[in-house]
Amino acid sequence: MIAQDIHDRLRAVLPASVPILLPEQQREPLDAAPVDAQGRPVVGGGERGLGTYLHQHPQGYVQVEFAQAIRSAGPLRVFWVAVACTTPTQDGCQFLMDWVSRTLIGIPGRDPGLYSEVTPGLPQPLALTSPLVWQARAVLQPLHVGGRLA
């Protein structure tokens, strides 16, 4: 429910060229392969995986992870959910994470969103990738009361 809410909010504002992946789609970038004109994977077509996925989606992608229950007190439940932006450039990563943050967290004190930030998403290079890939991973907390997002 939380992951789908995040997906829907981001899909409403991000360009269609930026994939927003649900938790069950985490392997999609890792399994990416070159495709032919009909969109089928090319056998023996060269590089596969994250580099290929980012080549197919040069603006990057957003990965919504599974929500983790942190605590419960009566009808109040606290969840944390990570949202990661992965792009081929540091500037692109920061731009995408800023967009995600404005959409989900809002502007604190002026236009708050439904989610609060537990840890900020700061662009960092992913180790052992060639070429270099950047990722910013924020942990967010929705307010969840009586089985509903509040």
Side-chain angles (χ1 to χ4, degrees):
M1 179 173 92
I2 294 170
Q4 189 64 54
D5 179 72
I6 290 172
H7 177 276
D8 294 348
R9 289 173 189 278
L10 294 176
R11 183 71 297 144
V13 298
L14 291 175
S17 60
V18 176
I20 303 163
L21 306 178
L22 290 166
E24 57 270 16
Q25 295 173 291
Q26 284 182 336
R27 289 220 39 95
E28 196 170 295
L30 304 176
D31 295 336
V35 293
D36 63 16
Q38 286 80 35
R40 298 174 299 202
V42 176
V43 176
E47 181 183 0
R48 296 177 180 278
L50 184 57
T52 297
Y53 194 78
L54 288 173
H55 182 71
Q56 294 167 350
H57 307 284
Q59 291 179 299
Y61 69 96
V62 177
Q63 176 68 62
V64 181
E65 298 180 21
F66 286 106
Q68 301 294 315
I70 301 301
R71 66 184 136 97
S72 178
L76 178 64
R77 292 190 178 149
V78 177
F79 291 89
W80 286 357
V81 61
V83 177
C85 298
T86 306
T87 67
T89 67
Q90 182 178 8
D91 289 342
C93 188
Q94 185 65 61
F95 182 78
L96 190 55
M97 182 51 76
D98 288 345
W99 209 340
V100 167
S101 294
R102 278 192 308 276
T103 302
L104 300 174
I105 300 166
I107 302 169
R110 188 170 65 160
D111 185 21
L114 185 60
Y115 295 81
S116 60
E117 188 175 59
V118 176
T119 59
L122 303 173
Q124 298 180 9
L126 289 178
L128 304 175
T129 60
S130 180
L132 197 57
V133 172
W134 292 84
Q135 186 176 76
R137 185 175 177 269
V139 177
L140 308 178
Q141 177 178 305
L143 181 56
H144 198 265
V145 179
R148 293 190 180 147
L149 290 170

